[in-house]
Amino acid sequence: MNHINKLKIFNDPIYGFISIPNELIYDLIQHPYFQRLRRISQMGLSYLVYPGANHTRFHHALGCMHLMQKAIDTLRFKGVAISSEEENALYIAILLHDIGHGPFSHAMEKSIVEDVNHEAISLLFMNELNNVFDGKLSLAIQVFKGEYHRKFMLQLISSQLDMDRMDYLKRDSFYTGVAEGNVNSERLIQMMNVENDVLVIEEKGIYSVEKFLLSRRLMYWQAYLHKTSLVAELILMKVLKRAKELTLKGVKLSCSEPLLYFMQNKISLDDFDAEKLDLFSQLDDFDIISALKAWQRHPDFILSTLSKMIINRDLLKIKMSAEKIPMEESQALKEEFAEEHNISQLEAGYFIFRGKIKNQAYSKEAEPIRILKKDKTIEDVVEASDQLNLKSLSKLVTKYYICFPKQLI
């Protein structure tokens, strides 16, 4: 009998060759739950702005695992003891950290699977996979939940300077062509160390941290919160909300069985048993796109108009402002639009709405990025830096927006 070679390599456009460290990791990657990430876009509808941004969460998860391999090598070289069980747990936890994302994740979380976030679903998937793999994921789950006694391990997976952020900034910068986001993950990892069980960056790496935080801020304004990406995602949320509303009224909509199930039922975290999880695992971007294509021709004016906007990239107009947009402005537009299309003002709210977005590259409330100084003292990067811009990067910036149809200009 031929044994399949499970120690394969992936060719990644950013890091070159990524190797699979062992057979368990290979089997996890091969599992349908993980393969589904090939059909989930990393940047949602950002390809409507940046045509190259078609990379997937599958890509990103492998990149994170590769960076974790580099981080473990660096820390071991500096004398940090990491056992092979701990090493494996770190690979599994970072590989599966995003497995709970739904199609166009943030739009789904706010419209169809309303009160359940992707982190909670990731954990459900991990527990299910732990059953499949006879408990081999137990330590990874402990680390992922922050219950393992070695604190720095969680910081490698989830913190203000983790493998996740290092990969997505570099990857998203590469695929969008937004050069400002290109971070030097190699250098950052080389500067890592562990002191008193927490992750630190050696003092000579401080400029790389500053560049990383600045890149993060710029990527948020130029890519993740780009006004066209934002309005596209907001429209998708409105489409899904309307579809759910119609479905609950008994209107028949053409879409896949798993999508129909989540539109017909209000599912809380407690309801997520193995059967619901399996249904969720059948959802990906293709369900949403094919539904939008079908709904373009639906007799419901709201559903068909909004679906066409995304399919044909003929979106609502979005106006950004540093000041809060007065309610009277949106109210006047709603009245005009409702009258023109013979719909209620409540229904006009699907086309005219206000909101706000926030951007903070570095949070003082969250666990800090720690700098290990030459005298072995540890300081928050904001205090250790001689750059005034780091203080401004930790300031929360809020922008307000209003969306409305182009014909109302």
Side-chain angles (χ1 to χ4, degrees), residues 41-91:
S41 153
Q42 173 69 14
M43 290 184 70
L45 289 162
S46 292
Y47 62 81
L48 294 175
V49 181
Y50 298 106
N54 277 308
H55 55 302
T56 65
R57 292 200 177 271
F58 182 87
H59 255 133
H60 164 62
L62 292 176
C64 291
M65 183 190 71
H66 173 74
L67 293 182
M68 187 64 87
Q69 288 172 294
K70 299 276 182 207
I72 289 169
D73 288 349
T74 298
L75 293 176
R76 278 183 173 157
F77 180 73
K78 292 179 181 179
V80 179
I82 297 171
S83 70
S84 58
E85 289 78 20
E86 288 171 331
E87 175 184 5
N88 221 22
L90 285 168
Y91 293 154

Side-chain angles (χ1 to χ4, degrees), residues 128-183:
E128 196 57 36
L129 287 166
N130 201 25
N131 296 334
V132 175
F133 289 95
D134 303 322
K136 289 178 186 163
L137 280 68
S138 298
L139 186 57
I141 291 168
Q142 222 184 326
V143 173
F144 184 79
K145 287 164 80 174
E147 291 171 359
Y148 192 57
H149 67 279
R150 303 191 75 184
K151 197 177 167 190
F152 78 89
M153 291 193 175
L154 176 63
Q155 291 172 289
L156 288 168
I157 296 157
S158 177
S159 67
Q160 298 205 69
L161 189 63
D162 56 24
M163 301 306 116
D164 175 34
R165 290 183 184 191
M166 276 190 218
D167 181 79
Y168 77 62
L169 286 172
K170 202 172 177 65
R171 190 168 298 280
D172 297 349
S173 157
F174 177 87
Y175 281 97
T176 55
V178 178
E180 288 82 355
N182 189 7
V183 296

Side-chain angles (χ1 to χ4, degrees), residues 315-355:
L315 307 168
L316 293 170
K317 183 91 180 137
I318 182 167
K319 195 170 84 179
M320 307 288 275
S321 165
E323 305 297 319
K324 204 167 182 177
I325 292 159
M327 199 171 168
E328 300 79 59
E329 191 175 332
S330 61
Q331 192 51 40
L333 291 169
K334 271 186 207 171
E335 285 169 15
E336 187 186 334
F337 190 75
E339 197 176 326
E340 192 182 326
H341 293 279
N342 198 21
I343 57 174
S344 71
Q345 283 191 39
L346 192 68
E347 290 172 323
Y350 275 99
F351 299 89
I352 297 140
F353 46 88
R354 299 171 307 145

Side-chain angles (χ1 to χ4, degrees), residues 222-235:
Q222 276 187 264
Y224 311 129
L225 297 175
H226 184 288
K227 64 188 185 112
T228 308
S229 305
L230 177 66
V231 76
E233 189 170 287
L234 291 165
I235 294 169

Side-chain angles (χ1 to χ4, degrees), residues 362-406:
Y362 182 70
S363 167
K364 285 178 172 169
E365 280 69 63
E367 197 166 0
I369 296 174
R370 297 176 177 89
I371 302 296
L372 178 67
K373 306 196 75 167
K374 289 187 179 70
D375 62 5
K376 290 290 180 200
T377 58
I378 294 174
E379 245 185 326
D380 184 328
V381 65
V382 174
E383 308 309 320
S385 166
D386 56 4
Q387 296 289 322
L388 285 170
N389 65 3
L390 271 206
K391 290 202 170 43
S392 64
L393 285 182
S394 53
K395 200 172 106 230
L396 184 67
V397 180
T398 304
K399 286 188 181 178
Y400 299 89
Y401 63 79
I402 180 168
C403 301
F404 52 90
K406 286 174 182 162

